[in-house]
Amino acid sequence: HVQLVESGGGSVQAGGSLRLSCETSGYSAVRDSVAWFRQGEGKEREGVAFVYFGGGRTYYADSVKGRFTISQEKGKNTVYLRMNSLKPDDSGTYICASDLYGTWYKGHFNYWGRGTQVTVS
């Protein structure tokens, strides 16, 4: 039974930082990638960051480049999203996803977490 559990969300002032965690479990095969998405109130879901473990490649939405960093803790099934210089527009529910079958920013993943709320004021 595959599970993805997000944590680390909260309320922060503009300019502040947060680190989100995505803990994965229940995999019967090696994961190849994890992505973070967000959905603000009244907005469509947006792909924020993606890491492909095979080559260590990372990809980011233009709106977060230079401010957000996706990373994996070696030896642990946890992927992080470090968010710096946060803006009110970064507010929303942040959700991690894994097991890519298509295009990452289109949300082509088989497994999803439930999300963690981030509020920037």
Side-chain angles (χ1 to χ4, degrees), residues 13-16 63 67-68 84-91 119-121:
Q13 290 189 338
S63 57
R67 300 188 298 122
F68 289 13
N84 296 327
S85 302
L86 283 163
K87 307 173 182 179
D89 280 350
D90 294 320
S91 298
T119 303
V120 184
S121 59

Side-chain angles (χ1 to χ4, degrees), residues 19 21-22 31 53 70-80:
R19 189 182 76 162
S21 301
C22 173
R31 298 165 299 130
F53 299 131
I70 188 170
S71 63
Q72 180 193 22
E73 186 170 359
K74 289 186 177 180
K76 295 190 177 183
N77 294 328
T78 303
V79 172
Y80 301 101

Side-chain angles (χ1 to χ4, degrees), residues 4 6 22 33-37 95-99 109 111-113:
L4 286 77
E6 303 92 338
C22 173
S33 58
V34 169
W36 282 96
F37 289 80
I95 308 160
C96 63
S98 187
D99 195 16
F109 293 90
Y111 302 113
W112 295 81

Side-chain angles (χ1 to χ4, degrees), residues 21-79:
S21 301
C22 173
E23 184 174 353
T24 64
S25 63
Y27 283 87
S28 60
V30 175
R31 298 165 299 130
D32 62 351
S33 58
V34 169
W36 282 96
F37 289 80
R38 68 184 180 190
Q39 187 160 18
E41 189 171 349
K43 298 180 180 180
E44 292 188 355
R45 186 180 64 194
E46 174 188 20
V48 174
F50 170 75
V51 58
Y52 177 65
F53 299 131
R57 288 172 291 172
T58 57
Y59 300 89
Y60 298 93
D62 288 342
S63 57
V64 306
K65 279 181 183 176
R67 300 188 298 122
F68 289 13
T69 304
I70 188 170
S71 63
Q72 180 193 22
E73 186 170 359
K74 289 186 177 180
K76 295 190 177 183
N77 294 328
T78 303
V79 172

